[in-house]
Amino acid sequence: MQDAQPMNTPPTIPASLPPYSFTNAWGLGWPRWKASFLPLFLGTLIVAAVNVPLQLPNLLNIPVTIANARASESPEAAESMKAATAAASGVIGIFSCFALVWGLFVALPIFGGFVWMGVQAARGTVPAVGSILQGYRRFPTVLGGLFLSVLLLLIPYLLAISVPLVFLLSQSGWDVSQVGQSFNASDTWTGGAIAGLVIAAVWLVVCVVIIYWIGIRLIMWLPIAMDGVGPRRGAWASINRSWQITRGSALSLFGLMLTASLMAAFTVVLCCAPYFLVGVPLYVTLFGLAYAMLSQQEMARDASANATQ
């Protein structure tokens, strides 16, 4: 592969980039995308093809939905469709398990390699299409980073639903089956209940903001795990490094990813072809630029701190 390096050989230092900012990332995004258009376009097609098997359970769910709709028409129809619905549900379960395995062992490392291609393009190096296999070279780190990041985001998620869940259960007398009916009961909505609902809603909003903030602070763990420049980091070290390099830039990164996502979504409206030609390749280039700029800044801070010691 083009990005492979002999052992004990120092990695190639990328060209210097400007400090990270929303405008700097967008300003360099277009020329970097143009310079690496063909490999990024081919990488987009590979990622799209790899993700097709993940949609099989959703496609198979369509006939099950149709069968359930027909079964609800009459008792006779329900009896005649019972066996077919059960068989289809079993097939969906099998394909769901297949999609999970495929997602972890094929789609995830390929996507990681695609992110690495975006980082290479951001640093001014036209990536080889074979760079998309970088995720397999770092697969244990990628898989571990995924589970750790999900676990870290799961904690505030559980906190987010805890207060509303306790409120709902307390209103229904701690009977799960009565939760829906408690909302329709007029005597349920006393002043204290309304105040509790407002508190639960405010708590939920605060937790959602925290979840998004943590997600932005952890967003760079994947390119860090993929990075062939500098020291190789494990799963936890990649997450920790992401937390370091994104400090002070969370709001700007959120704006960058939001506008890049809106741009990609807009290209879908244009008959989908620009989505593969521009939307996704430009998005991964912008993401790579944000990482490359932030990583360069953090490396400079590390070098300055070491020099003063």
Side-chain angles (χ1 to χ4, degrees):
M1 296 299 173
Q2 189 173 356
D3 57 347
Q5 296 175 352
M7 294 182 63
N8 302 321
T9 299
T12 303
I13 303 299
S16 179
L17 293 167
Y20 168 75
S21 69
F22 178 91
T23 53
N24 282 344
W26 268 107
L28 268 179
W30 291 102
R32 290 290 198 262
W33 161 71
K34 291 178 182 177
S36 300
F37 166 75
L38 183 58
L40 290 178
F41 170 61
L42 295 176
T44 300
L45 295 181
I46 293 172
V47 171
V50 164
N51 278 275
V52 169
L54 299 179
Q55 306 306 316
L56 290 177
N58 296 328
L59 294 175
L60 290 172
N61 195 47
I62 296 176
V64 173
T65 303
I66 296 174
N68 289 333
R70 292 181 178 178
S72 62
E73 295 175 357
S74 65
E76 294 78 9
E79 186 64 28
S80 62
M81 298 296 297
K82 185 176 180 180
T85 302
S89 299
V91 173
I92 290 177
I94 294 173
F95 275 93
S96 297
C97 293
F98 166 77
L100 176 61
V101 174
W102 181 272
L104 291 176
F105 293 94
V106 180
L108 175 62
I110 291 295
F111 178 73
F114 184 53
V115 169
W116 170 235
M117 291 177 68
V119 174
Q120 290 178 302
R123 287 174 171 164
T125 301
V126 178
V129 178
S131 298
I132 205 167
L133 299 177
Q134 176 79 348
Y136 284 105
R137 303 187 187 102
R138 307 289 174 88
F139 182 69
T141 299
V142 172
L143 192 60
L146 175 66
F147 283 113
L148 285 174
S149 58
V150 169
L151 182 62
L152 290 172
L153 287 172
L154 184 62
I155 296 173
Y157 175 79
L158 293 176
L159 291 174
I161 66 175
S162 61
V163 172
L165 182 61
V166 169
F167 170 76
L168 293 175
L169 290 175
S170 64
Q171 290 299 110
S172 62
W174 302 97
D175 186 353
V176 178
S177 62
Q178 300 298 318
V179 170
Q181 296 179 7
S182 66
F183 270 93
N184 298 324
S186 59
D187 58 345
T188 300
W189 300 106
T190 62
I194 294 176
L197 181 62
V198 171
I199 293 173
V202 171
W203 171 260
L204 185 61
V205 171
V206 170
C207 288
V208 168
V209 172
I210 292 174
I211 289 171
Y212 272 94
W213 181 75
I214 293 176
I216 290 295
R217 295 297 304 274
L218 300 180
I219 196 173
M220 295 299 172
W221 75 265
L222 184 55
I224 292 171
M226 293 290 100
D227 202 344
V229 175
R232 294 185 61 166
R233 293 181 171 90
W236 180 252
S238 297
I239 289 175
N240 185 54
R241 186 69 173 178
S242 177
W243 193 267
Q244 291 175 358
I245 69 175
T246 56
R247 64 181 182 269
S249 303
L251 187 59
S252 176
L253 283 170
F254 176 77
L256 179 66
M257 293 298 99
L258 177 62
T259 53
S261 298
L262 291 175
M263 175 276 303
F266 178 73
T267 59
V268 176
V269 181
L270 304 176
C271 300
C272 289
Y275 178 72
F276 297 98
L277 293 168
V278 181
V280 176
L282 181 56
Y283 182 95
V284 78
T285 304
L286 289 169
F287 184 59
L289 274 167
Y291 164 69
M293 291 174 175
L294 289 169
S295 178
Q296 179 180 270
Q297 290 176 198
E298 191 66 18
M299 289 173 66
R301 282 194 289 261
D302 292 344
S304 177
N306 293 333
T308 58
Q309 292 178 356

